[in-house]
Amino acid sequence: MSLLKKSLVIAAILAVYIALVVFATDPNSDNNVCKKSKKQLFNGTQNPNGECVTTVLGEIPSKEKMTSTVILFPNENTVLKANTAFTVKTKTNFLTTGFFDDPAKQYYLFPQTLDNNGVIQGHSHVTIQQIQNPNEPLDAQVFAFFKGLNDPAANGNELDVQVDKGLPAGNYRVCTMVASFAHQPTLMPIAQRGAQDDCRRFTVK
Ligand SMILES: *[C@@H]1O[C@H](CO)[C@@H](O)[C@H](O)[C@H]1NC(C)=O
Ligand SMILES: [Cu+2]
Protein backbone atom coordinates (compact mmCIF):
# COMPACT_ATOMS: atom_id res chain seq x y z
CA MET A 1 0.00 0.00 0.00
CA SER A 2 1.29 3.44 -0.87
CA LEU A 3 1.85 5.98 1.85
CA LEU A 4 -1.07 8.04 0.45
CA LYS A 5 -3.46 5.06 0.61
CA LYS A 6 -2.30 4.27 4.13
CA SER A 7 -2.91 7.86 5.21
CA LEU A 8 -6.36 7.84 3.60
CA VAL A 9 -7.32 4.61 5.40
CA ILE A 10 -6.10 6.00 8.73
CA ALA A 11 -7.91 9.30 8.11
CA ALA A 12 -11.14 7.44 7.25
CA ILE A 13 -10.93 5.30 10.41
CA LEU A 14 -10.26 8.41 12.49
CA ALA A 15 -13.23 10.25 10.93
CA VAL A 16 -15.61 7.36 11.68
CA TYR A 17 -14.26 7.12 15.24
CA ILE A 18 -14.68 10.86 15.87
CA ALA A 19 -18.20 10.83 14.39
CA LEU A 20 -19.17 7.89 16.65
CA VAL A 21 -17.77 9.57 19.77
CA VAL A 22 -19.39 12.91 18.99
CA PHE A 23 -22.75 11.30 18.18
CA ALA A 24 -22.68 9.04 21.25
CA THR A 25 -21.94 11.87 23.67
CA ASP A 26 -24.17 14.53 22.12
CA PRO A 27 -26.66 15.31 24.90
CA ASN A 28 -29.10 16.68 22.33
CA SER A 29 -29.06 13.70 19.97
CA ASP A 30 -32.63 12.84 20.99
CA ASN A 31 -34.04 16.36 21.05
CA ASN A 32 -36.29 15.78 18.05
CA VAL A 33 -38.15 13.00 19.88
CA CYS A 34 -41.50 14.81 19.53
CA LYS A 35 -41.03 15.16 15.75
CA LYS A 36 -40.62 11.39 15.53
CA SER A 37 -43.17 10.53 18.23
CA LYS A 38 -46.58 9.07 17.42
CA LYS A 39 -47.88 10.83 20.54
CA GLN A 40 -49.74 14.11 20.15
CA LEU A 41 -47.70 17.24 20.88
CA PHE A 42 -48.59 18.60 24.35
CA ASN A 43 -50.42 21.89 24.74
CA GLY A 44 -50.61 22.39 28.50
CA THR A 45 -53.68 20.25 29.12
CA GLN A 46 -53.49 16.94 30.99
CA ASN A 47 -53.87 14.41 28.20
CA PRO A 48 -54.98 11.03 29.60
CA ASN A 49 -53.87 9.36 26.34
CA GLY A 50 -50.30 10.50 26.89
CA GLU A 51 -48.45 13.05 24.77
CA CYS A 52 -45.03 14.30 23.79
CA VAL A 53 -43.66 17.22 25.82
CA THR A 54 -40.98 19.61 24.56
CA THR A 55 -40.49 21.62 27.77
CA VAL A 56 -36.82 21.65 28.79
CA LEU A 57 -35.82 20.50 32.28
CA GLY A 58 -34.78 23.95 33.47
CA GLU A 59 -32.86 24.94 36.60
CA ILE A 60 -31.50 22.20 38.88
CA PRO A 61 -30.50 22.93 42.50
CA SER A 62 -27.08 22.17 43.97
CA LYS A 63 -26.69 18.92 45.93
CA GLU A 64 -26.82 20.80 49.23
CA LYS A 65 -30.35 21.97 48.33
CA MET A 66 -32.11 18.78 47.29
CA THR A 67 -35.78 18.52 48.24
CA SER A 68 -36.59 16.11 51.09
CA THR A 69 -39.92 15.35 52.79
CA VAL A 70 -41.36 13.63 55.84
CA ILE A 71 -45.04 12.91 56.47
CA LEU A 72 -45.64 13.84 60.11
CA PHE A 73 -49.21 12.49 60.23
CA PRO A 74 -50.55 9.86 59.75
CA ASN A 75 -47.75 7.33 60.25
CA GLU A 76 -47.20 3.61 60.90
CA ASN A 77 -48.48 3.92 64.49
CA THR A 78 -51.66 5.74 63.52
CA VAL A 79 -55.05 4.04 63.79
CA LEU A 80 -57.78 6.41 62.60
CA LYS A 81 -61.52 6.23 63.20
CA ALA A 82 -63.47 5.37 60.03
CA ASN A 83 -65.24 8.18 58.16
CA THR A 84 -63.88 10.82 60.53
CA ALA A 85 -62.02 13.92 59.40
CA PHE A 86 -58.25 14.02 59.90
CA THR A 87 -55.39 16.20 58.73
CA VAL A 88 -52.37 15.01 56.75
CA LYS A 89 -49.28 16.94 57.88
CA THR A 90 -46.06 17.12 55.86
CA LYS A 91 -42.73 18.87 56.22
CA THR A 92 -40.46 19.48 53.22
CA ASN A 93 -36.97 20.92 53.23
CA PHE A 94 -35.65 22.80 50.19
CA LEU A 95 -38.92 23.52 48.38
CA THR A 96 -40.09 27.13 48.10
CA THR A 97 -43.82 26.54 48.24
CA GLY A 98 -46.78 28.45 46.82
CA PHE A 99 -45.63 28.14 43.21
CA PHE A 100 -48.48 26.48 41.36
CA ASP A 101 -49.68 27.14 37.82
CA ASP A 102 -53.06 26.26 36.28
CA PRO A 103 -53.07 22.44 36.03
CA ALA A 104 -55.84 22.56 33.38
CA LYS A 105 -54.00 24.84 30.93
CA GLN A 106 -50.35 24.94 32.02
CA TYR A 107 -49.54 21.34 32.94
CA TYR A 108 -45.82 20.66 32.22
CA LEU A 109 -45.72 23.96 30.32
CA PHE A 110 -42.73 25.57 32.12
CA PRO A 111 -39.24 24.35 33.07
CA GLN A 112 -38.22 23.91 36.71
CA THR A 113 -37.06 27.18 38.30
CA LEU A 114 -35.08 28.11 41.42
CA ASP A 115 -35.57 31.06 43.76
CA ASN A 116 -32.78 33.54 44.60
CA ASN A 117 -31.44 31.10 47.21
CA GLY A 118 -31.16 28.29 44.66
CA VAL A 119 -34.18 26.38 46.00
CA ILE A 120 -36.80 24.76 43.71
CA GLN A 121 -40.02 26.78 43.39
CA GLY A 122 -43.00 24.47 43.52
CA HIS A 123 -45.72 22.82 45.51
CA SER A 124 -46.69 19.39 46.80
CA HIS A 125 -49.50 16.88 46.51
CA VAL A 126 -50.87 14.28 48.89
CA THR A 127 -52.28 11.02 47.55
CA ILE A 128 -53.85 8.24 49.63
CA GLN A 129 -54.57 4.76 48.29
CA GLN A 130 -56.18 1.74 49.86
CA ILE A 131 -53.97 -1.34 50.12
CA GLN A 132 -55.64 -4.63 49.18
CA ASN A 133 -52.53 -6.77 48.73
CA PRO A 134 -49.37 -5.41 50.39
CA ASN A 135 -47.15 -7.36 47.98
CA GLU A 136 -48.64 -5.96 44.79
CA PRO A 137 -48.02 -2.47 43.37
CA LEU A 138 -51.06 -0.26 43.83
CA ASP A 139 -53.13 0.73 40.78
CA ALA A 140 -52.06 4.32 40.10
CA GLN A 141 -55.50 5.09 38.62
CA VAL A 142 -57.27 4.30 41.90
CA PHE A 143 -56.96 6.62 44.90
CA ALA A 144 -59.05 7.30 47.98
CA PHE A 145 -57.94 10.93 48.36
CA PHE A 146 -55.89 13.42 46.34
CA LYS A 147 -55.12 17.09 46.92
CA GLY A 148 -52.59 19.59 45.59
CA LEU A 149 -50.94 21.62 48.38
CA ASN A 150 -50.78 24.94 46.59
CA ASP A 151 -50.39 27.48 49.35
CA PRO A 152 -47.11 28.78 50.80
CA ALA A 153 -46.05 26.54 53.71
CA ALA A 154 -46.63 27.55 57.33
CA ASN A 155 -43.30 27.92 59.21
CA GLY A 156 -41.60 27.89 55.81
CA ASN A 157 -41.84 24.16 55.23
CA GLU A 158 -44.95 22.57 56.78
CA LEU A 159 -47.98 21.81 54.63
CA ASP A 160 -51.22 20.15 55.66
CA VAL A 161 -54.57 19.18 54.20
CA GLN A 162 -57.75 18.00 55.85
CA VAL A 163 -59.42 14.81 54.64
CA ASP A 164 -62.90 16.16 55.36
CA LYS A 165 -64.85 12.93 55.25
CA GLY A 166 -62.12 10.66 56.56
CA LEU A 167 -61.78 7.20 55.02
CA PRO A 168 -63.64 3.88 55.23
CA ALA A 169 -62.04 1.15 57.35
CA GLY A 170 -59.00 -0.42 55.70
CA ASN A 171 -55.24 -0.29 55.25
CA TYR A 172 -53.85 2.73 53.41
CA ARG A 173 -50.69 4.29 52.01
CA VAL A 174 -50.24 8.06 52.11
CA CYS A 175 -47.54 9.61 49.88
CA THR A 176 -46.35 13.05 48.96
CA MET A 177 -45.58 14.02 45.37
CA VAL A 178 -43.49 17.17 45.45
CA ALA A 179 -43.47 19.09 42.18
CA SER A 180 -42.00 22.03 40.34
CA PHE A 181 -44.49 24.80 39.67
CA ALA A 182 -45.76 23.31 36.39
CA HIS A 183 -46.51 20.02 38.25
CA GLN A 184 -43.58 17.94 36.96
CA PRO A 185 -41.67 15.89 39.57
CA THR A 186 -38.76 17.82 41.08
CA LEU A 187 -35.40 17.31 39.36
CA MET A 188 -32.15 16.85 41.30
CA PRO A 189 -28.49 17.35 40.36
CA ILE A 190 -27.20 13.86 41.26
CA ALA A 191 -28.65 10.39 40.77
CA GLN A 192 -27.40 8.75 43.98
CA ARG A 193 -29.36 10.45 46.77
CA GLY A 194 -32.31 10.17 49.14
CA ALA A 195 -35.86 10.36 47.80
CA GLN A 196 -37.59 13.74 47.63
CA ASP A 197 -40.92 12.23 48.72
CA ASP A 198 -42.21 10.26 51.70
CA CYS A 199 -44.84 7.51 52.01
CA ARG A 200 -46.33 6.02 55.15
CA ARG A 201 -48.80 3.24 55.80
CA PHE A 202 -51.61 3.52 58.34
CA THR A 203 -54.84 1.85 59.44
CA VAL A 204 -58.46 3.01 59.59
CA LYS A 205 -60.87 1.06 61.83
C1 LIG B 1 -55.04 20.36 23.74
O1 LIG B 1 -54.90 18.97 23.62
C2 LIG B 1 -56.00 18.24 24.10
C3 LIG B 1 -55.63 16.79 24.09
O2 LIG B 1 -55.22 16.35 22.84
C4 LIG B 1 -57.23 18.58 23.27
O3 LIG B 1 -58.36 17.85 23.74
C5 LIG B 1 -57.49 20.07 23.36
O4 LIG B 1 -58.56 20.43 22.54
C6 LIG B 1 -56.27 20.88 22.99
N1 LIG B 1 -56.51 22.28 23.31
C7 LIG B 1 -56.17 23.26 22.50
C8 LIG B 1 -56.47 24.64 23.00
O5 LIG B 1 -55.62 23.08 21.44
CU1 LIG C 1 -49.41 20.02 40.99
Side-chain angles (χ1 to χ4, degrees):
M1 227 191 264
S2 75
L3 190 59
L4 179 63
K5 268 190 187 163
K6 267 186 198 162
S7 322
L8 280 175
V9 168
I10 289 168
I13 289 169
L14 262 177
V16 168
Y17 176 76
I18 288 166
L20 279 176
V21 168
V22 167
F23 181 75
T25 57
D26 179 0
N28 291 318
S29 59
D30 257 346
N31 71 357
N32 59 350
V33 64
C34 287
K35 283 192 184 128
K36 292 189 258 169
S37 176
K38 292 190 176 78
K39 288 288 185 185
Q40 200 166 341
L41 190 64
F42 91 120
N43 65 9
T45 64
Q46 297 174 37
N47 190 336
N49 299 319
E51 58 191 0
C52 197
V53 177
T54 52
T55 305
V56 300
L57 298 182
E59 294 185 298
I60 311 287
S62 69
K63 72 179 171 65
E64 293 80 16
K65 295 182 178 174
M66 296 196 288
T67 307
S68 181
T69 304
V70 65
I71 296 173
L72 298 170
F73 188 89
N75 60 51
E76 283 72 10
N77 301 318
T78 305
V79 179
L80 294 169
K81 214 177 146 205
N83 305 312
T84 305
F86 67 97
T87 299
V88 178
K89 293 193 167 114
T90 75
K91 181 175 180 179
T92 299
N93 286 345
F94 298 114
L95 183 71
T96 300
T97 48
F99 289 86
F100 177 88
D101 70 8
D102 182 351
K105 290 186 180 146
Q106 298 173 318
Y107 196 69
Y108 291 164
L109 200 57
F110 305 109
Q112 179 166 286
T113 55
L114 306 178
D115 70 8
N116 290 336
N117 297 317
V119 175
I120 293 173
Q121 296 174 309
H123 59 279
S124 187
H125 313 84
V126 161
T127 183
I128 302 177
Q129 292 167 281
Q130 189 166 5
I131 300 168
Q132 309 288 359
N133 179 346
N135 296 317
E136 281 298 322
L138 298 175
D139 182 343
Q141 292 189 75
V142 180
F143 51 88
F145 178 83
F146 179 93
K147 186 77 173 65
L149 305 181
N150 316 338
D151 296 329
N155 312 323
N157 57 6
E158 291 181 21
L159 292 166
D160 54 49
V161 58
Q162 180 162 317
V163 182
D164 290 332
K165 293 175 182 158
L167 297 165
N171 296 316
Y172 291 89
R173 185 183 73 169
V174 55
C175 293
T176 60
M177 293 194 290
V178 292
S180 305
F181 83 121
H183 310 274
Q184 64 272 56
T186 52
L187 299 166
M188 301 298 157
I190 53 174
Q192 296 186 7
R193 62 173 196 267
Q196 48 266 55
D197 285 298
D198 194 22
C199 289
R200 291 195 153 192
R201 286 165 169 77
F202 64 98
T203 307
V204 181
K205 280 188 175 154

